[in-house]
Amino acid sequence: MHELGVVFRVIRQVEEIAAENDVTRVESVTLSLGEVSSVIPEYLIDCWKWAVKRTEVMREAELKIEPIPAITHCDACGTDYPTIPHGKICPRCGSGETWLKQGNEFIIKQIEAE
Amino acid sequence: MGDLRVIEVKRSIFEDNNRDADRLRDQLRRENTLLINLMSSPGAGKTTLLRRTIALIRDEMKLGVMEADIDGEVDARAIEAAGAKAVQIHTGGMCHLDADMTRQGLAALGSEAFDLVVLENVGNLVCPAEFDTGAMRNVMLLSVPEGDDKPLKYPLMFKNCQVALINKCDTLAVFDDFDCERVKARILDRNPTCRVFFISAKTGEGFEAWTDWLREALSQFRGGKLDAPVHFDA
């Protein structure tokens, strides 16, 4: 729902990193994006295409997205299970004593630049 | 064209906001200004809540309000009329405020001149619950007509607040399927230490407990005894 906001944030960070590294042109930015990070990759790319045109060093930069699967851990029986189909309730033992092990990440992984 | 090189970054977007939020909390501690982030759906009664709250406590403390909306300045005028200083922050289409936008709003307001500043976040139960604004306390406002199932549908919002205010309790006779005990249990299930108050911003019901909580929070803050809340993604 807040794709445009996070795109602005990513752009600001990439511009900082570009300045620190004497970058003249950013070719691509790779994000590691958790499956349940509440950001929809397609919307993110649409916002990206619009927003980078307003910048200097990253006007043509491509946004690459690497998904991270969401996994929940059950404290009651020790199982790790995929979050998307099962949610908060453990499919093995039915317990609700579970927590998200991974899948809400939103990380700038790397930048290709010259 | 030069050679392409790969720069490893591995920086979390949320960590960056969390750092901004922590810096803002440090600044506000130095200014001795308590910042409270108020979140709810559109129409839950944030502005009405603030107007009545201001009327009750304006003689005890200097109050400022930041109204964050996508557009318009209706809310800021209503708050000024109630007797607090207000600034309107236009988010320009954004669905939430982050710590950096909050810092800019505080600068526009002149936060050092106030004892208590309330940030009225964008009306939305989803996105504001994901971004730490730098506030010392997060208050969520749920109104009776919205239904007692909201803690089930928007768990993050109810997890990341320290106070839940249940507003429009004067309409319980009409919305008679809203169960106060059930909503409280659903909130505490996600957030066992959350304080839950039942109020009506229209009639003033429950405002003694709510304003007492505010006074206590301000007193703890001034005594250096109010701990920072955990980061929203923690």
Side-chain angles (χ1 to χ4, degrees), chain B residues 20-34 99 102-108 110-112 134 221:
Chain B
D20 288 351
D22 287 338
R23 264 200 294 269
L24 188 56
R25 269 190 284 272
D26 288 343
Q27 175 194 326
L28 289 165
R29 275 194 202 97
R30 288 193 298 275
E31 292 176 0
N32 220 6
T33 303
L34 174 63
T102 305
R103 184 187 55 74
Q104 292 172 33
L106 286 166
S111 51
E112 68 281 1
F221 177 70

Side-chain angles (χ1 to χ4, degrees), chain B residues 7-185:
Chain B
I7 303 168
E8 296 281 339
V9 183
K10 294 206 176 85
R11 200 192 283 182
S12 164
I13 293 295
F14 295 117
E15 276 168 25
D16 177 62
N17 186 59
N18 287 344
R19 264 199 305 274
D20 288 351
D22 287 338
R23 264 200 294 269
L24 188 56
R25 269 190 284 272
D26 288 343
Q27 175 194 326
L28 289 165
R29 275 194 202 97
R30 288 193 298 275
E31 292 176 0
N32 220 6
T33 303
L34 174 63
L35 175 65
I36 289 183
N37 175 28
L38 177 63
M39 302 178 281
S40 81
S41 311
K46 290 190 293 298
T47 308
T48 310
L49 166 81
L50 287 180
R51 287 169 62 187
R52 187 175 280 276
T53 305
I54 291 163
L56 291 170
I57 60 174
R58 68 183 169 204
D59 296 336
E60 304 163 41
M61 53 185 103
K62 289 184 77 177
L63 285 165
V65 176
M66 296 190 292
E67 295 280 345
D69 282 298
I70 289 181
D71 207 350
E73 53 186 275
V74 183
D75 287 348
R77 281 205 296 266
I79 294 296
E80 296 260 351
K85 190 171 178 220
V87 288
Q88 187 87 43
I89 308 172
H90 284 162
T91 61
M94 294 262 293
C95 47
H96 64 275
L97 280 191
D98 62 19
D100 192 57
M101 287 187 276
T102 305
R103 184 187 55 74
Q104 292 172 33
L106 286 166
L109 183 70
S111 51
E112 68 281 1
F114 298 94
D115 300 308
L116 172 68
V117 173
V118 179
L119 165 62
E120 194 182 318
N121 214 314
V122 181
N124 177 341
L125 291 183
V126 183
C127 313
E130 295 186 33
F131 289 86
D132 190 339
T133 58
M136 285 297 280
R137 285 294 176 265
N138 300 291
V139 175
M140 90 76 51
L141 180 69
L142 174 71
S143 66
V144 166
E146 291 172 74
D148 59 20
D149 58 349
K150 290 298 165 289
L152 303 178
K153 293 185 173 173
Y154 303 95
L156 203 58
M157 173 58 73
F158 290 88
K159 183 180 154 223
N160 284 333
C161 63
Q162 290 76 46
V163 173
L165 296 172
I166 313 300
N167 190 27
K168 306 191 188 178
C169 284
D170 54 299
T171 68
L172 277 166
V174 181
F175 298 95
D176 56 2
D177 52 352
F178 189 99
D179 185 326
C180 292
E181 286 310 310
R182 192 162 58 199
V183 79
K184 190 172 178 181

Side-chain angles (χ1 to χ4, degrees), chain A residues 1-2 5-6 9-10 12-13 16-17 21-23 27 38 106-114, chain B residues 1-13 16-17 20 94-96 98 100 127 130-131:
Chain A
M1 237 171 131
H2 45 242
V6 293
R9 189 165 270 281
V10 171
R12 205 176 69 202
Q13 288 202 27
E16 280 173 24
I17 295 158
N21 290 279
D22 298 320
V23 162
E27 168 83 11
S38 80
F106 194 122
I107 297 162
I108 304 178
K109 186 185 171 198
Q110 63 180 41
I111 299 167
E112 275 187 296
E114 63 184 37
Chain B
M1 286 260 216
D3 288 334
L4 275 186
R5 58 191 157 123
V6 173
I7 303 168
E8 296 281 339
V9 183
K10 294 206 176 85
R11 200 192 283 182
S12 164
I13 293 295
D16 177 62
N17 186 59
D20 288 351
M94 294 262 293
C95 47
H96 64 275
D98 62 19
D100 192 57
C127 313
E130 295 186 33
F131 289 86

Side-chain angles (χ1 to χ4, degrees), chain B residues 220-231:
Chain B
Q220 287 183 341
F221 177 70
R222 284 175 167 162
K225 290 185 186 130
L226 198 65
D227 292 333
V230 293
H231 289 132

